[in-house]
Amino acid sequence: MKSLADRIEQYLKVLIERSDCKTLEVQRTELAETFGCAPSQITYVLATRFTREEGFITESRRGGKGYVRIRRVDRETVPNAGVCSQEEAFARLEVLLKRGLLSRREVELLKCVMSQKVLGPMGLETDFLRAKMLHAVCELLNV
Amino acid sequence: MKSLADRIEQYLKVLIERSDCKTLEVQRTELAETFGCAPSQITYVLATRFTREEGFITESRRGGKGYVRIRRVDRETVPNAGVCSQEEAFARLEVLLKRGLLSRREVELLKCVMSQKVLGPMGLETDFLRAKMLHAVCELLNV
DNA sequence: AAAGTCAAAGTCAATAAAAGTCAAAAGGAG
DNA sequence: CTCCTTTTGACTTTTATTGACTTTGACTTT
């Protein structure tokens, strides 16, 4: 027995495969109407079936003429090394500052480049990536 | 379905690129008439899509023979949605160094954090990611 | 020159049209 | 029954669009 969510998922995936650039742009409300469900159902489908781990990146715009864009990207292999959340990374940078190994400005630069906002919709691997970045910095500093 | 604001934005950007000196002068009222909208809509488009951060400078004059002038200025920035190879990114960092906006050490820190080696086996998205990182740095530096 | 006129552009708040959030209710598999 | 997934709806936030009102500047009249 297929659920509504399953059917919406299927529908979107067909459209994406047919599209140029593996990119699809739809309106949440419109799609919800097509399937006769609540708009938040669409959000649910995107959140559970079009995640970064599944190989999708979604972006959207609110307000008038808003949209949801789904892009299928090549799934990369995630080698399992360390992970590091934004908070953790920021804290470690502050430590390096305290120890006099980085200047305030350097910390700010690195923070902005490691922020969740920038690493953006890359999903879980964000933390993996951040760990590698931090590691590289420490190596450069010989610490 | 593009919004009106999107269409006006696109229209203006085409005209700017075609123009000499990347500079365009239009009349707000006239443009509004062309698109059949309120003049304040033009103001809105300028305020949200032709900001300094996006790489544009706008000037204007009220009253008789008034105008709006839009100039695209050079940014060392990669558009937020663009892509950027390691070589390109490194070159841009060097430019920022030459311009005195970053120190040698800061450049090295950023290079190591943006290197292919660190961003690792992320495939195509590496370039996507690097563009976002560079964009964030430029934003922080206000350039 | 000072004042008045008119044609610009600017401001701002109201309204509309999306998408996001989150918790609660409903379903379904064991 | 219990747990996990699905589905919904009330509420929030963001973006777009408009229109009434304000400010500015060139030109005209006194």
Side-chain angles (χ1 to χ4, degrees), chain B residues 39-106:
Chain B
S40 49
Q41 175 75 285
I42 307 302
T43 308
Y44 174 73
V45 171
L46 295 180
T48 55
R49 284 129 156 110
F50 291 85
T51 63
R52 186 59 230 283
E53 197 193 282
E54 307 275 339
F56 294 91
I57 290 180
T58 65
E59 304 164 280
S60 66
R61 196 170 70 185
R62 302 184 178 186
K65 299 287 195 304
Y67 60 80
V68 173
R69 183 158 52 221
I70 315 172
R71 202 153 42 98
R72 208 204 56 189
V73 298
D74 270 344
R75 307 194 65 207
E76 305 307 336
T77 307
V78 179
N80 203 5
V83 292
C84 188
S85 70
Q86 173 178 306
E87 289 68 35
E88 211 178 322
F90 283 18
R92 283 175 187 277
L93 289 173
E94 292 296 335
V95 170
L96 292 176
L97 170 63
K98 278 229 167 61
R99 289 178 57 188
L101 293 162
L102 289 175
S103 71
R104 178 86 256 164
R105 223 176 91 102
E106 286 162 355

Side-chain angles (χ1 to χ4, degrees), chain B residues 115-135:
Chain B
S115 70
Q116 194 60 32
K117 185 162 148 285
V118 164
L119 298 193
M122 309 282 293
L124 281 187
E125 292 141 61
T126 319
D127 291 352
F128 172 65
L129 196 55
R130 207 157 10 221
K132 293 195 89 170
M133 293 169 76
L134 205 47
H135 182 81

